[in-house]
Amino acid sequence: MSSPPDLPSHVQRFVDEIETEIGDEPGRPEALIEGNGTGPGGPDGRVEAAVREILGEIGEDPDRQGLAGTPGRVHRMYTELTAGYHVDPERLINGAIFDVAYSEMVVVKDIPFYSLCEHHLLPFFGTASVAYIPRGRVIGLSKIPRIVEMYARRLQVQERLTQQVAEFLQDRLEPQGVGVVMEATHLCAVMRGVRKPGTIMTTSSVLGLFRTRDRTRAEFFAHLERRAPEA
């Protein structure tokens, strides 16, 4: 989805962070997240009004000192955590797909991500590992974490998030195959419901050779078991 030109500046700041490399000058306005509690819609915007109503429904006083700025802060928080809806994939890739005569597996492991469960609006977070086998084209290393970030900063279920990352790489690179594995802790299972701390959910999406060739899939999983070199 292309970034609309009239995004609020605080949303645009996070879209820019996902789309651009460190040191790039996007030339777009930025604003601080913390402030006086007024969101982009003003102190009486729709989101702020909804948060005030929720606070009242749970028995709180939305006008007390500690909560007076909460509606605006919640508004800014959700726009930050859902900035992925506004990321322009073309701007994110920014031409960083290169013709290279390389046809062995490329693996990027342990990419941290944070997302919001669409069922309860509670966070889930963990790591993603992404691999692909080029067919004469490779993508810049930093783009893979940014692709994960683009889809993670939306309301999600982990299964769909995993598929979206895999399908994006498959569509853009047309490689011989793509594999994505995500492991995450879901606060909807830790803080409420079954309340089971330590529960980890693992999802995978395998396309092309990763799906049709057992040896390729086994090589991918073997890479995931190896410890990363010390920094």
Side-chain angles (χ1 to χ4, degrees):
M1 177 185 298
S2 297
S3 301
D6 58 349
L7 278 177
S9 60
H10 69 291
V11 181
Q12 192 64 68
R13 175 180 177 227
F14 293 100
V15 171
D16 287 338
E17 286 181 357
I18 298 171
E19 289 180 346
T20 61
E21 301 289 347
I22 293 173
D24 284 356
E25 296 295 335
R28 293 173 175 176
E30 296 184 356
L32 294 175
I33 286 297
E34 293 302 327
N36 62 6
T38 60
D44 300 316
R46 292 173 62 188
V47 173
E48 287 79 359
V51 173
R52 285 180 58 86
E53 184 173 349
I54 290 171
L55 291 172
E57 285 294 322
I58 65 175
E60 267 289 0
D61 175 10
D63 293 316
R64 72 174 175 84
Q65 185 181 33
L67 294 175
T70 295
R73 287 190 289 269
V74 170
H75 191 163
R76 291 194 299 281
M77 175 192 71
Y78 277 121
T79 53
E80 174 184 346
L81 298 180
T82 60
Y85 286 115
H86 308 293
V87 172
D88 180 353
E90 296 302 327
R91 182 175 166 84
L92 185 156
I93 297 298
N94 194 28
I97 295 178
F98 310 102
D99 295 330
V100 178
Y102 185 82
S103 59
E104 300 299 324
M105 190 178 299
V106 177
V107 183
V108 183
K109 298 195 304 180
D110 301 328
I111 304 166
F113 72 88
Y114 300 85
S115 193
L116 284 177
C117 164
E118 67 182 30
H119 300 140
H120 303 97
L121 300 186
L122 283 171
F124 68 94
F125 52 90
T127 60
S129 294
V130 179
Y132 69 98
I133 301 175
R135 197 191 306 269
R137 298 201 302 168
V138 300
I139 190 169
L141 170 62
S142 71
K143 302 304 181 182
I144 292 179
R146 292 176 188 278
I147 293 165
V148 173
E149 185 85 347
M150 173 176 65
Y151 288 114
R153 283 183 181 259
R154 304 179 181 190
L155 300 185
Q156 280 288 12
V157 295
Q158 186 176 328
E159 298 90 338
R160 181 173 64 234
L161 172 58
T162 309
Q163 289 178 323
Q164 287 175 327
V165 173
E167 290 170 357
F168 184 92
L169 285 170
Q170 185 70 34
D171 291 343
R172 294 300 171 125
L173 293 179
E174 298 181 343
Q176 299 180 66
V178 177
V180 178
V181 171
M182 290 189 162
E183 294 184 307
T185 295
H186 291 246
L187 292 191
C188 58
V190 172
M191 295 178 64
R192 60 164 302 283
V194 295
R195 291 192 292 273
K196 295 296 182 183
T199 301
I200 302 294
M201 180 176 179
T202 301
T203 51
S204 65
S205 179
V206 288
L207 305 173
L209 290 182
F210 287 81
R211 178 181 292 274
T212 61
R213 185 180 295 175
D214 293 343
R215 186 178 64 185
T216 300
R217 190 164 57 252
E219 179 185 347
F220 175 39
F221 290 124
H223 279 299
L224 301 189
E225 293 173 359
R226 295 193 183 101
R227 291 175 60 95
E230 297 295 331

